[in-house]
Amino acid sequence: MKKYVFTAACLCASAMAMAQENVQPAAKVPFDGMNLTWINGQNRQSSSPLQLKDKDGEVILTGTVLTDAYFNYNFARPKDNTQTISAATGRANEFSINQASLGIESNYKNVIGRLWLQTGSMTHIVQETDGAVTRGRNTGTGNLKFIREAAAGYHFNYKYGLNIEAGIFMSYIGLESYVLQENWSYQRSMVCEFTPFYFQGARVQFYPTKKYKVELWLLNGWQTYNSWSKNIGFGNSNYYRPSENVQLVANFYYGNDTHVAGSNTLSKVRRFHHDNSIVARYFKNPASKGISQAAFSLNSHYGFQSGDGIKAKDNYMTGTSLTNRVWFNKNKLALTLRGDFVTNPGGYLAFVPAAPSAQPNAYDKAIASGKDLKMGQLSATFDIMPNDLVTFRFEFAHRNANVPYFAGSGGTTSQTGFTSDPVDPTWLPDLVKSENRLIWAVNFRL
């Protein structure tokens, strides 16, 4: 999310009594003994204080409380206070609640149950833009956008674990998480911003060995609650952790997506996407008041779509993100530096830079002519983490593109900056090629 969070369901072990002795067999726990809280895209909390246990000490329910707020200063000061080309921040030059979330999770007696509710500005950016809900009736984003994740399933004590689940999940594609508290930077890399944050469907998770996990997914579509066609999408995810200090990931997606406007047939547009990542910690001294640990992550993506007159050579996406993070003072301070790059000919995954009712200027003409959209980003992030419950974050981000793509001082909504005012037919959104921002954020997680 990117985005998949390793849950306690993966830690269930066989509880069958031994045939000859009244003792429990040794548990087979995947990634046993590994502290993975340092990894980019993972929750840095090693335990939760919100737990309900039975009389034998077995956990029945685990609770989650999350609040994330930010102030995003865009140096362009767009008159409509709208931050564009970002799923992490939707507003500029004002305080915003990005995400408020409550959740419960149960893995009691091998039964998997999960319900995480959410609200905040990210739901408007991500969930409310799901166009697949326009296919048919008895559907819509209104009844689902407040659910961050909901799933039901069962854990089988086979090898190191076998889980079968169905519901709404955070996406497995990409390194960085939908939950910003779990990432090394606040503004995600663009390779992760251009890819899904949620899926609706079913999955099988299998742990054949202590160090390897494989997942198979059946999906309605690419970040959609519904399907664009009669066909189900397919996904595959692979995690290999040879030690606590290294994580290798490879993910794949294939499905029919995107409705061609005016077409009388269901979607024949086929989409393929692959991403791979390596996260490695190359220094560790947790007791040090100087540098306590250091790590890097490299996340690369390639994808394309074709069909219904769309050619893969004109509609593909490739990009990469390289990040380095250094922790100080017993992991209570951290500095993260990142550079990333995306090229997306045809703009099939790119954000729309202006209001749907407006006609973008040079960006629209460039994309319509098949010109490549190329964008680069540099960011520096400083975190203050007094404990595992709170993070104070300060970030500078610079982005540039080869076509006008980011919001300028005139904004991207209307000539007045308000959606309630009629749009002057001569008005054009103010789009520029570069952007500079300062972000201050604080998040609480219990």
Side-chain angles (χ1 to χ4, degrees):
M1 195 222 320
K2 155 179 112 53
K3 306 170 185 160
Y4 171 70
V5 177
F6 181 74
T7 69
C10 308
L11 302 179
C12 296
S14 174
M16 297 179 61
M18 298 291 287
Q20 302 297 326
E21 301 180 39
N22 188 26
V23 296
Q24 297 291 334
K28 286 188 174 183
V29 181
F31 313 121
D32 187 25
M34 297 184 185
N35 184 344
L36 307 175
T37 59
W38 61 272
I39 294 177
N40 194 2
Q42 295 282 330
N43 181 13
R44 63 184 177 86
Q45 294 175 307
S46 57
S47 62
S48 172
L50 301 179
Q51 290 187 336
L52 175 65
K53 300 181 180 180
D54 65 12
K55 62 181 180 179
D56 297 320
E58 185 176 353
V59 176
I60 301 174
L61 291 174
T62 299
T64 300
V65 179
L66 171 68
T67 303
D68 180 10
Y70 71 89
F71 186 93
N72 170 45
Y73 182 79
N74 188 322
F75 284 81
R77 297 184 62 84
K79 69 162 52 179
D80 56 359
N81 283 40
T82 300
Q83 176 62 53
T84 59
I85 321 304
S86 174
T89 55
R91 301 292 292 174
N93 307 95
E94 62 186 33
F95 292 97
S96 298
I97 294 293
N98 211 8
Q99 187 177 63
S101 182
L102 295 171
I104 57 172
E105 180 176 352
S106 178
N107 306 285
Y108 190 58
K109 298 187 182 300
N110 288 33
V111 176
I112 299 171
R114 194 177 312 116
L115 176 60
W116 294 341
L117 304 179
Q118 67 173 355
T119 188
S121 60
M122 275 206 305
T123 63
H124 186 83
I125 304 171
V126 178
Q127 282 82 2
E128 288 189 9
T129 58
D130 184 349
V133 298
T134 61
R135 182 186 173 204
R137 297 178 294 133
N138 305 326
T139 183
T141 60
N143 59 330
L144 295 172
K145 67 182 179 182
F146 299 116
I147 300 175
R148 176 156 64 92
E149 186 159 354
Y154 194 80
H155 171 84
F156 296 89
N157 300 319
Y158 177 67
K159 298 291 185 179
Y160 279 81
L162 174 67
N163 301 328
I164 299 178
E165 300 177 75
I168 298 174
F169 305 95
M170 287 187 287
S171 170
Y172 66 92
I173 294 178
L175 173 66
E176 293 172 303
S177 174
Y178 173 70
V179 180
L180 297 176
Q181 178 263 358
E182 298 174 346
N183 299 331
W184 289 353
S185 302
Y186 199 77
Q187 171 61 58
R188 303 181 193 90
S189 63
M190 296 314 297
V191 288
C192 288
E193 289 278 66
F194 281 14
T195 50
F197 295 108
Y198 66 87
F199 286 119
Q200 183 160 243
R203 70 183 180 189
V204 175
Q205 300 172 315
F206 179 45
Y207 300 80
T209 71
K210 176 181 175 180
K211 299 180 178 180
Y212 176 61
K213 176 185 73 171
V214 60
E215 300 185 13
L216 298 176
W217 291 65
L218 297 177
L219 311 163
N220 284 349
W222 179 271
Q223 192 165 287
T224 61
Y225 295 122
N226 298 351
S227 173
W228 293 105
S229 72
K230 293 182 179 180
N231 302 318
I232 295 295
F234 298 92
N236 168 246
S237 180
N238 302 270
Y239 277 72
Y240 177 55
R241 292 169 175 142
S243 74
E244 180 180 291
N245 296 318
V246 179
Q247 173 182 279
L248 304 173
V249 180
N251 300 316
F252 301 88
Y253 171 87
Y254 180 82
N256 286 81
D257 293 283
T258 305
H259 175 64
V260 178
S263 174
N264 293 326
T265 62
L266 294 176
S267 177
K268 296 181 179 179
V269 178
R270 297 175 298 277
R271 180 171 295 171
F272 169 83
H273 195 88
H274 162 65
D275 83 272
N276 59 79
S277 63
I278 175 173
V279 188
R281 182 169 58 186
Y282 54 88
F283 179 81
K284 179 185 178 182
N285 184 10
S288 173
K289 292 185 177 180
I291 297 178
S292 49
Q293 62 181 353
F296 76 89
S297 67
L298 178 65
N299 184 211
S300 299
H301 290 241
Y302 172 73
F304 64 86
Q305 64 177 15
S306 63
D308 271 344
I310 297 174
K311 298 181 180 179
K313 68 181 183 66
D314 298 323
N315 288 268
Y316 68 89
M317 179 266 211
T318 184
T320 192
S321 173
L322 177 61
T323 311
N324 190 77
R325 183 171 173 92
V326 179
W327 289 259
F328 305 90
N329 190 24
K330 300 180 181 180
N331 296 336
K332 293 185 177 181
L333 305 173
L335 176 65
T336 301
L337 301 177
R338 185 189 64 206
D340 55 277
F341 174 81
V342 166
T343 182
N344 188 196
Y348 79 97
L349 288 183
F351 290 90
V352 177
S357 60
Q359 292 295 321
N361 49 22
Y363 166 81
D364 192 54
K365 296 176 182 177
I367 296 302
S369 66
K371 184 176 181 179
D372 296 5
L373 170 62
K374 297 179 180 178
M375 192 184 80
Q377 179 175 235
L378 297 171
S379 67
T381 308
F382 183 70
D383 288 341
I384 301 174
M385 301 166 288
N387 53 47
D388 288 346
L389 306 180
V390 66
T391 302
F392 297 93
R393 177 162 285 180
F394 304 87
E395 184 166 294
F396 172 77
H398 168 77
R399 304 192 290 186
N400 63 80
N402 62 324
V403 294
Y405 193 46
F406 307 105
S409 60
T412 56
T413 301
S414 71
Q415 71 280 2
T416 65
F418 289 85
T419 59
S420 56
D421 294 334
V423 177
D424 186 335
T426 64
W427 175 81
L428 288 175
D430 184 11
L431 300 181
V432 295
K433 289 186 177 182
S434 65
E435 176 186 80
N436 292 294
R437 290 187 290 146
L438 286 172
I439 302 172
W440 174 80
V442 57
N443 63 67
F444 161 78
R445 185 167 186 166
L446 188 64

